[in-house]
Amino acid sequence: MRSWKNEQVLIVGGGIGGLTAALALARQGIPSQVIEQAAAFKEIGAGIQLGPNVFRMFERLGLIEPISALAVFPNNLIMFDSITGDEVTRIPLDEAFRSKFHYPYALIHRADLHNVLLDQCRKSNLIKLDAAQKIVDVNESNGAITAKTESGKDYRGAALIGADGLWSTIRQIVVGDGKPKPAGHITYRAVLPTVEIPERYRRRDMVIWAGEKVHFVLYPLRTGELYNLVAVFHSNRYEEGWDSYGDPAELHERFAQTCAPVRALLAKIESWRMWVLCDRPPIKEWCRGRITLLGDAAHPMLQYLAQGACMAVEDAVCLADKAVEMNGDYAKAFRAYQQARYLRTGRVQIMARVYGEFYHAGGVAKELRNIMLGSRTPDDAMAGMEWLYGEQKELTQGGRRVY
Ligand SMILES: Cc1cc2nc3c(=O)[nH]c(=O)nc-3n(C[C@H](O)[C@H](O)[C@H](O)COP(=O)(O)OP(=O)(O)OC[C@H]3O[C@@H](n4cnc5c(N)ncnc54)[C@H](O)[C@@H]3O)c2cc1C
C-alpha cells in the first residue's frame, strides 16, 4: 500500500545536522536523500564539545555507544585568567553533574562524530547519500519539491530540509536575509598529537584561559591521543571567510600579554586554520511550505556555548517527531518543528554572544566576572546550566515539551 512514508525527504548538506536529520527520519521509517556539495562526506579536523543535552538526543538515535567509544569524558570545565594564569572557576563533571543532567559532558574529534553518523547512514536502506552535488535552486509545486544542482541534475522529494550551514543557499530561498554577520572575532584552531603538548599542560579537562579580547581553549580528543587548541581574538581585519590558513604573526601579537602557559602552547603550533566567526540574530520563521531549515542554516550562533552542533542534533530529532505527529503533512510538521525550536535556539544564539563578552571581558567587567564566577559553588554553576543541559521544562508551551 502506498503511504506518505514511501516518499523521500531531500536533505541539502551532509554535515552533522544533515546526517543526523537523515538518521532521525530513518528511525521513524522515513526515507531521505542527502545531497552534499563537497567531493566527499567529511568534517574538518578539529574538536567539538558535546553537552548532556545532545546525549539525550543520541539516546533517542541509538548513538550513545559508538560516540562514547571515541570521546573523552573530561573531569572538569576550568576557567583561568589569561593574564595572571589564576584559576577563576571550575565545574566538576562528576557524579553530581551526571546525576543532575542524566548524561555526561564529552569532547570528540569532529571527524570521529561525523564518521559515526556517516557509518549509521550507510547502514540504513532508507538513506541515500550523494556527494559532489551543489544545490542551487528549489521549487515546490503540486505537493512535491524539486531541487536543482549546479550541473543541472534534478532531485525530487516530498519535502526538503536545508541543512547547508552558515552560508546556506536554502535560507536565501526561504528567508532571503543576505549574508551572516561577522562578529569581529577570529578563531584559529589546531589539533596536535599529545606527545607535542608539554606534560604539565596535559590534563583530562576542558580548559579555557579567558582574557581581554582573547581566549584560549585546550582539551584532549580521541581517548587522549590528541589535543585540540583554539585561540580566539578580536580583529576587524577580515570581513568574511571560512577555513583558510591564517596569519600567525597577528595571532601571536594579540596573545603577547597572556600568561606563560598560553604563550607556550601557542608556540607549539606551526600551522593553524582560521575562521572568521559569524552569526545572525534569532528569527521566528524559517519554513516555507514543505521547505525548512535546520542547524546553522536556521540559527547560526557564535561558538561560546559550544552548542551549534548540539542544537542541529536537537533540531533533527524534533523535526522527525513532528513529521510523524502530523502524519506526513510536511507543511504542518515543519511549522510545528519551528514553533517547538525557535525560542530555545534563539536563547542559545543570544546567550552565546553574552558568553563571548564574558570570555573577552576587560577592566571592571573582568573583575566582576572573576569575582562572580569564582564565588559560585558547583551547585550554583549547575543551576545556571539547567536551562541548557536539563530536560526542557522552562519553555514549555501549551503543556508540550519544547526541544
Ligand atoms: C570555532 C568553532 C567551534 C565550535 N565548537 C562547537 C562545539 O564545541 N560544540 C558544538 O555543538 N558546536 C560547535 N560549533 C558549531 C558547529 O560547528 C556548527 O554549529 C555545526 O557544525 C553546524 O552543523 P550543520 O550541519 O548545521 O552545518 P555544517 O556543518 O556547516 O554543514 C553544512 C553542509 O552543507 C554543505 N552545503 C552547503 N551548501 C550546500 C549546497 N548548496 N548544496 C549541497 N551541500 C551544501 C556543506 O558543504 C556542509 O557539508 C563550533 C563552531 C566553530 C566555528
Side-chain angles (χ1 to χ4, degrees):
M1 202 181 79
R2 220 156 163 83
S3 125
W4 65 272
K5 286 195 177 174
N6 294 117
E7 294 187 64
Q8 67 177 4
V9 172
L10 304 178
I11 300 172
V12 181
I16 291 167
L19 295 184
T20 312
L23 291 173
L25 291 171
R27 283 186 86 82
Q28 303 282 11
I30 304 167
S32 65
Q33 165 75 67
V34 185
I35 310 157
E36 167 58 45
Q37 66 180 1
F41 283 85
K42 64 175 192 323
E43 256 287 347
I44 52 138
I48 197 163
Q49 302 176 53
L50 300 171
N53 55 312
V54 78
F55 276 92
R56 193 169 290 118
M57 301 298 115
F58 290 153
E59 180 157 61
R60 293 271 319 269
L61 298 168
L63 293 174
I64 290 204
E65 211 180 298
I67 289 171
S68 300
L70 298 166
V72 171
F73 295 95
N75 296 323
N76 300 284
L77 304 175
I78 303 178
M79 182 192 277
F80 293 112
D81 183 299
S82 75
I83 309 288
T84 62
D86 294 341
E87 185 171 315
V88 175
T89 186
R90 129 181 343 229
I91 303 167
L93 302 170
D94 52 8
E95 263 322 298
F97 181 94
R98 287 199 189 204
S99 78
K100 177 158 181 74
F101 298 120
H102 306 294
Y103 297 94
Y105 196 100
L107 310 165
I108 193 165
H109 197 294
R110 279 167 182 268
D112 293 344
L113 172 59
H114 194 259
N115 280 338
V116 168
L117 300 173
L118 195 55
D119 276 358
Q120 299 289 324
C121 285
R122 286 188 172 131
K123 281 184 200 152
S124 169
N125 57 11
L126 291 173
I127 300 173
K128 289 187 274 173
L129 300 161
D130 276 2
Q133 300 291 346
K134 180 175 181 172
I135 297 299
V136 290
D137 200 12
V138 175
N139 281 300
E140 178 174 3
S141 65
N142 303 327
I145 300 287
T146 309
K148 194 173 270 312
T149 68
E150 207 170 31
S151 59
K153 182 175 169 154
D154 282 342
Y155 288 91
R156 283 177 66 77
L160 182 139
I161 301 167
D164 51 344
L166 179 65
W167 303 97
S168 169
T169 300
I170 308 304
R171 183 175 178 118
Q172 291 323 304
I173 294 167
V174 174
V175 185
D177 56 353
K179 292 177 180 177
K181 184 172 169 290
H185 303 179
I186 308 294
T187 288
Y188 279 67
R189 294 199 272 194
V191 173
L192 293 182
T194 294
V195 286
E196 292 185 30
I197 301 293
E199 247 182 278
R200 61 186 175 285
Y201 304 132
R202 290 183 209 162
R203 50 198 305 167
R204 204 184 172 88
D205 296 315
M206 199 297 296
V207 180
I208 171 168
W209 283 266
E212 192 166 344
K213 295 187 178 168
V214 298
H215 81 265
F216 185 80
V217 176
L218 178 75
Y219 58 77
L221 294 175
R222 200 169 282 164
T223 61
E225 279 170 42
L226 302 170
Y227 269 80
N228 189 55
L229 296 91
V230 185
V232 182
F233 59 88
H234 290 205
S235 170
N236 294 323
R237 238 177 91 184
Y238 308 92
E239 279 298 297
E240 64 183 55
W242 179 250
D243 192 11
S244 53
Y245 288 92
D247 169 9
E250 186 187 19
L251 172 67
H252 290 289
E253 186 199 315
R254 302 283 174 169
F255 281 84
Q257 304 306 319
T258 56
C259 58
V262 173
R263 281 181 289 115
L265 287 162
L266 281 174
K268 287 282 158 204
I269 300 161
E270 284 158 15
S271 167
W272 291 85
R273 305 201 90 181
M274 183 193 83
W275 280 259
V276 178
L277 298 177
C278 296
D279 71 350
R280 293 179 186 272
I283 55 170
K284 268 180 95 139
E285 304 276 340
W286 64 64
C287 306
R288 199 186 74 195
R290 291 163 167 254
I291 308 171
T292 193
L293 305 175
L294 176 149
D296 277 6
H299 40 68
M301 54 188 67
L302 300 178
Q303 85 272 25
Y304 302 124
L305 276 177
Q307 279 288 326
C310 299
M311 287 296 119
V313 172
E314 287 189 359
D315 284 351
V317 172
C318 173
L319 185 150
D321 283 354
K322 298 298 174 196
V324 174
E325 256 173 51
M326 300 299 166
N327 211 12
D329 180 336
Y330 284 106
K332 261 197 194 166
F334 288 170
R335 276 199 306 280
Y337 146 73
Q338 173 188 273
Q339 186 66 19
R341 293 294 297 157
Y342 80 92
L343 285 173
R344 174 155 171 84
T345 54
R347 185 171 182 180
V348 183
Q349 282 173 291
I350 291 165
M351 289 310 292
R353 287 185 183 181
V354 172
Y355 270 66
E357 298 284 321
F358 251 48
Y359 292 162
H360 297 164
V364 174
K366 176 173 143 168
E367 263 185 64
L368 270 171
R369 176 197 73 194
N370 289 2
I371 290 167
M372 284 167 63
L373 294 184
S375 58
R376 286 183 317 181
T377 63
D379 281 347
D380 295 337
M382 286 194 290
M385 292 167 159
E386 176 73 37
W387 72 275
L388 184 57
Y389 298 150
E391 286 270 0
Q392 298 309 301
K393 293 178 195 119
E394 277 175 77
L395 296 179
T396 299
Q397 294 168 334
R400 284 209 314 266
R401 178 175 177 240
V402 176
Y403 287 78

